[in-house]
Amino acid sequence: MNPAPPALPAIAAPTILAQLTSTELRARLKRGELVLRSGPIRMAIRCSRDDVAATLSLLYANYPVEAPGGFADFHVELRSTDLLRRWIKPQIIFEHDGHAPFLALPQPQAFALLEWGMNWCIANYCHQYLMAHAAVIERNGFAAILPAPPGSGKSTLCAALVHRGWRLLSDEMTLIDPATCNILGLARPINLKNASIDIMRSFAPDAVLGPIVPDTKKGTVAHLRAPRESVQRVDETARPRWIIFPKYEAGAAPTLAPMPRHTAFLQLAENAFNYAALGRQGFEVLGEVIDMSDCLSFNYSSLEDAIVIFEDLAARALREDTPEVVA
Amino acid sequence: MRKDALLRLMRDTSRASTYTLGDWDQVIRLARVANVLARLAEDLAVAGLLDQVPQAPRDHLIAARLLGRRQRMAGLAEIARVRDALTASKLPTVLLKGGAYLAANMPLSRGRMFGDIDLLFRREDLPEAESTLILHGWTSGAISEYDQRYYRQWMHELPPLTHIKRHSVLDVHHNILPATSRHPPDAKLLLEQARELPDMPGVFVLCPADMVLHSACHLFHEGELGNGLRDLSDLDRLLRHFGPQDGFWATLSERAGLLHLRRPLCYAIRMCTTMLRTPVPKDIVRELRRFGGLRLPLMDAIYKRALRADHPLANDRWTPLARWALYVRAHWLRMPPHLLAAHLARKTWFRWTGMPEYPTNEDEVPAQR
């Protein structure tokens, strides 16, 4: 019989990803033991690709890492497709606990596939929240929900605002706690597409971008690192205060117009992927969120104009109501 | 064999209070794969233990429970629509499995997820039933002529019917085993004993013993056990529910003989008692043991593996072989050797060559779990 292995000296568990050495990061990824937390969601990630490890350490540097062996909400994996494909035209597949929700994609899209896959997991399973396809940002405890179809400039606007004083809760998915109507943040990287990549590079030259990947289903994509403060304060929830439907329109003067509440309700319901699954609860929660918010439509063509207008909204809200203390 | 945090919890819900976060990590993953997450959530809620589960795993239980409740509402509404359609043609709506548990409001329907509504008709009523259902929007999609013939000549059901607007799926049966199997039961016997539900006039379910027998024969003739653990847990709950009723065990044993289903019942009771600790009278266990034959120890070893959640956490190195053996066995039971050889040759040919058997939509994204 082998003697019992000597007890290892106790090492304080690193609290954020940047504290892992790159060897340790890759080792954990290889074993599926990298447990990254963004807000309420813990993702255990398995992947043997060095490029993905490098992008993770760039974009997720400030996220808490948890010790393996505990609870992870989702166990996800990126791996190469079968042996033959590895040589001829290498592709990558995303799996959630052995189940592949999407078709394989070319290797350069590996990190983007991981991001989309993680979004898919949340959207498919986290029905403890009312979830809407919307960006959401916070100022003084007040949240602005920006629901919009792809192409409306929602991510670009969100990226610009979080580099000018607003805190990022999420650029893709708004999670509403049905018990309190508070909004929970994820503070994950922002997915920029096509022209908005260059726009953000000149708008916020200090912002950190992951690899730029051309020819994806969504065109050219890149992920923008979430501001450090947003990541550090991710567990602070926010009260819904505005629902703003943004629309980028070349040459348009910035116009902020009130929107009838029933229209806002229907449009937000359309963007809430589990609205029907939540049934009556979904209806009631959405109604409350609408009741406590100003509903507005916002047409714009310049980000600088948008910054001014949002600044003004925040200042007015601060004058009008004292923010409630939120946990 | 590996310890399995889910199985231990299914045997004894009260263990929940002793589980660590690491245990819960396994439980949620296994229960999701086995399609029993909503059922587990309902069990924990009934036992008053759901609130004691740590928040992160509890959120998943709550989310699954919510979907289960949603499906319950949708399922009941759809059953009522099927009933209305069939009643207009003076046909009875006889529900099997998940739909039956739900319509009869049995405790095992809480959190029991199901995809299709299974219906049983007399063989001579089948054409009328099919045309009625088509008239009300349930149609079979693109399907090759071979598959049409496969279903209509050899099987015990029609190709599945999908509603054009609501996408609900009906499985229309005229028996509970294929016409080509060795000893198909006489479906008339099942229909004679079916019971109308007091709360849903026009809707019938099988009598208690037949419910158990159908569930057993379905599970122990099935070759792909994606829902194996869910179905075993159905059997466990049916036996716990009906067990205390007067004369249930005697009727069960008698019906099993009458319907030629003693062997699947034997396996069902062995697996329920060993895997889920279902209480079954000793004389019934002993009486049925004879029908398992000499291969019983082998079948035990196979089913103990194949009926677990299909997940690396629950598999050992023999699990793939066990699953493969059951896949082959299911085909062997389904049809005589000459038909089986021809059928498998055809299916293998299309799989290897990648040729479509009938026109398919290339753009379709793979089905979601």
Side-chain angles (χ1 to χ4, degrees):
Chain A
M1 238 176 83
N2 294 326
L8 294 167
I11 303 167
T15 48
I16 61 169
L17 192 139
Q19 286 169 299
L20 294 179
T21 63
S22 80
T23 322
E24 175 65 11
L25 171 65
R26 277 181 305 197
R28 286 200 193 189
L29 273 172
K30 209 167 226 165
R31 295 194 299 263
E33 289 179 352
L34 180 74
V35 184
L36 263 188
R37 185 167 78 80
S38 61
I41 308 293
R42 292 161 180 82
M43 292 276 177
I45 306 170
R46 182 193 291 267
C47 176
S48 342
R49 298 179 60 87
D50 290 347
D51 61 335
V52 172
T55 310
L56 281 170
S57 60
L58 181 70
L59 298 182
Y60 280 93
N62 300 313
Y63 293 68
V65 173
E66 300 206 343
F71 183 85
D73 292 273
F74 302 103
H75 291 256
V76 301
E77 177 175 1
L78 277 186
R79 57 174 186 79
S80 306
T81 46
D82 57 60
L83 212 60
L84 194 66
R85 253 318 184 43
R86 217 170 284 177
W87 301 104
I88 297 171
K89 191 180 160 197
Q91 288 200 317
I92 295 295
I93 201 148
F94 170 87
E95 286 189 350
H96 163 235
D97 226 351
H99 163 74
F102 314 116
L103 299 174
L105 290 179
Q107 272 186 351
Q109 301 184 27
F111 181 78
L113 179 62
L114 177 64
E115 284 290 319
W116 297 333
M118 294 195 292
N119 288 342
W120 179 90
C121 287
I122 299 172
N124 248 270
Y125 293 111
C126 293
H127 303 293
Q128 66 268 33
Y129 310 117
L130 177 64
M131 293 181 280
H133 182 225
V136 58
I137 53 179
E138 177 265 0
R139 193 80 181 261
N140 306 319
F142 296 128
I145 301 172
L146 313 174
S152 55
K154 152 185 76 92
S155 286
T156 323
L157 182 61
C158 168
L161 289 166
V162 299
H163 285 91
R164 292 287 197 284
W166 290 75
R167 176 165 71 94
L168 174 70
L169 291 170
S170 172
D171 88 307
E172 274 292 318
M173 236 182 301
T174 298
L175 306 182
I176 304 169
D177 176 5
T180 58
C181 288
N182 285 341
I183 295 175
L184 288 91
L186 292 167
R188 299 245 311 274
I190 299 173
N191 188 185
L192 295 176
K193 290 150 218 133
N194 304 316
S196 42
I197 298 170
D198 281 335
I199 293 175
M200 278 315 296
R201 270 204 287 218
S202 55
F203 183 85
D206 297 339
V208 177
L209 270 177
I212 294 168
V213 189
D215 304 321
T216 76
K217 213 171 175 179
K218 306 182 184 199
T220 301
V221 302
H223 285 84
L224 184 79
R225 182 156 93 182
R228 182 197 292 258
E229 199 203 337
S230 301
V231 177
Q232 286 166 342
R233 292 175 53 200
V234 67
D235 295 329
E236 292 174 33
T237 58
R239 292 300 280 168
R241 180 64 179 75
W242 305 275
I243 297 160
I244 304 174
F245 294 84
K247 193 166 174 234
Y248 174 83
E249 220 176 299
T255 343
L256 195 63
M259 188 182 221
R261 280 172 190 277
H262 58 269
T263 314
F265 185 104
L266 290 176
Q267 288 202 24
L268 191 54
E270 217 168 276
N271 281 285
F273 3 87
N274 64 344
Y275 176 68
L278 264 62
R280 183 185 180 138
Q281 189 186 46
F283 176 81
E284 285 171 356
V285 171
L286 204 57
E288 266 190 70
V289 169
I290 294 279
D291 278 345
M292 61 176 83
S293 306
D294 293 343
C295 304
L296 304 157
S297 69
F298 178 53
N299 289 28
Y300 72 103
S301 57
S302 131
L303 289 175
E304 294 297 346
D305 290 346
I307 305 289
V308 174
I309 289 198
F310 272 73
E311 198 64 41
D312 181 50
L313 279 178
R316 257 192 296 161
L318 204 53
R319 278 200 303 276
E320 280 165 20
D321 24 48
T322 338
E324 288 168 55
V325 179
V326 288
Chain B
M1 283 188 73
R2 286 206 198 187
K3 280 193 175 172
D4 174 332
L6 172 62
L7 214 49
R8 282 184 289 156
L9 191 58
M10 286 173 78
R11 280 183 205 139
D12 180 6
T13 319
S14 68
R15 275 176 184 270
S17 47
T18 68
Y19 269 25
T20 64
L21 280 170
D23 292 330
W24 283 113
D25 183 82
Q26 290 197 13
V27 167
I28 301 294
R29 297 167 75 185
L30 291 168
R32 179 171 283 147
V33 166
N35 213 357
V36 294
L37 195 52
R39 171 172 278 176
L40 186 62
E42 295 291 354
D43 285 355
L44 289 165
V46 167
L49 294 167
L50 187 57
D51 294 335
Q52 293 171 31
V53 177
Q55 188 185 346
R58 187 175 69 227
D59 278 348
H60 290 270
L61 291 162
I62 288 171
R65 188 180 183 206
L66 206 124
L67 287 191
R69 298 198 160 180
R70 191 75 200 146
Q71 201 194 47
R72 185 182 185 88
M73 277 173 66
L76 280 171
E78 205 59 15
I79 288 168
R81 292 189 187 105
V82 173
R83 187 263 321 264
D84 293 346
L86 292 171
T87 307
S89 300
K90 303 206 162 40
L91 288 164
T93 303
V94 184
L95 294 169
L96 302 171
K97 297 180 55 194
Y101 311 148
L102 176 59
N105 198 20
M106 294 168 65
L108 86 155
S109 68
R110 278 196 297 260
R112 202 252 190 211
M113 307 301 281
F114 65 97
D116 314 341
I117 296 173
D118 295 286
L119 298 163
L120 181 66
F121 295 96
R122 295 193 305 172
R123 186 153 205 173
E124 53 269 37
D125 288 343
L126 215 54
E128 171 80 7
E130 188 180 10
S131 55
T132 300
L133 291 170
I134 289 173
L135 205 63
H136 287 83
W138 284 278
T139 63
S140 58
I143 178 166
S144 72
E145 272 193 34
Y146 175 84
D147 283 353
Q148 281 283 2
R149 202 162 56 102
Y150 171 84
Y151 276 106
R152 285 172 199 275
Q153 257 189 13
W154 300 338
M155 287 298 110
H156 51 304
E157 58 187 326
L158 298 178
L161 299 175
T162 305
H163 196 273
I164 42 170
K165 284 197 185 132
R166 297 188 302 274
H167 308 291
S168 62
V169 178
L170 307 182
D171 279 336
V172 177
H173 303 253
H174 59 80
N175 204 340
I176 57 173
L177 279 180
T180 48
S181 59
R182 304 290 187 287
H183 299 288
D186 184 353
K188 281 211 180 65
L189 296 174
L190 298 167
L191 288 167
E192 273 167 14
Q193 292 289 319
R195 322 226 150 138
E196 188 164 15
L197 296 174
D199 297 336
M200 271 188 126
V203 176
F204 296 77
V205 299
L206 301 183
C207 73
D210 292 1
M211 263 195 205
V212 171
L213 288 167
H214 177 226
S215 179
C217 102
H218 189 270
L219 180 57
F220 292 95
H221 279 87
E222 182 57 52
E224 284 167 77
L225 292 165
N227 279 324
L229 184 59
R230 198 267 323 258
D231 292 351
L232 187 72
S233 149
D234 281 354
L235 274 162
D236 167 62
R237 277 141 209 262
L238 286 169
L239 292 171
R240 284 173 196 269
H241 182 70
F242 293 130
Q245 289 182 9
D246 255 0
F248 167 73
W249 295 102
T251 314
L252 180 62
S253 159
E254 183 198 319
R255 298 287 293 176
L258 213 57
L259 294 161
H260 314 294
L261 293 173
R262 279 190 288 219
R263 182 172 293 166
L265 181 62
C266 164
Y267 294 155
I269 282 182
R270 287 183 76 80
M271 288 302 122
C272 277
T273 49
T274 53
M275 289 178 74
L276 297 172
R277 309 262 192 276
T278 317
V280 175
K282 285 219 167 52
D283 50 322
I284 294 284
V285 179
R286 222 173 305 126
E287 180 194 322
L288 284 167
R289 201 183 188 290
R290 294 188 279 139
F291 300 101
L294 288 174
R295 69 201 108 168
L296 206 50
L298 177 65
M299 295 309 281
D300 282 352
I302 290 178
Y303 273 117
K304 255 181 222 168
R305 291 179 168 83
L307 287 177
R308 288 188 177 207
D310 190 2
H311 192 285
L313 286 169
N315 293 348
D316 67 12
R317 61 174 152 146
W318 298 107
T319 306
L321 185 64
R323 289 188 187 279
W324 177 81
L326 288 178
Y327 180 77
V328 173
R329 174 178 178 266
H331 275 85
W332 177 253
L333 292 175
R334 199 173 293 164
M335 44 181 100
H338 67 281
L339 277 184
L340 180 60
H343 178 67
L344 287 183
R346 184 188 160 93
K347 290 288 168 190
T348 309
W349 169 255
F350 282 110
R351 192 172 294 175
W352 283 0
T353 57
M355 276 165 59
E357 284 190 68
Y358 50 90
T360 51
N361 187 352
E362 289 278 313
D363 298 333
E364 254 172 45
V365 186
Q368 296 185 352
R369 188 187 286 170

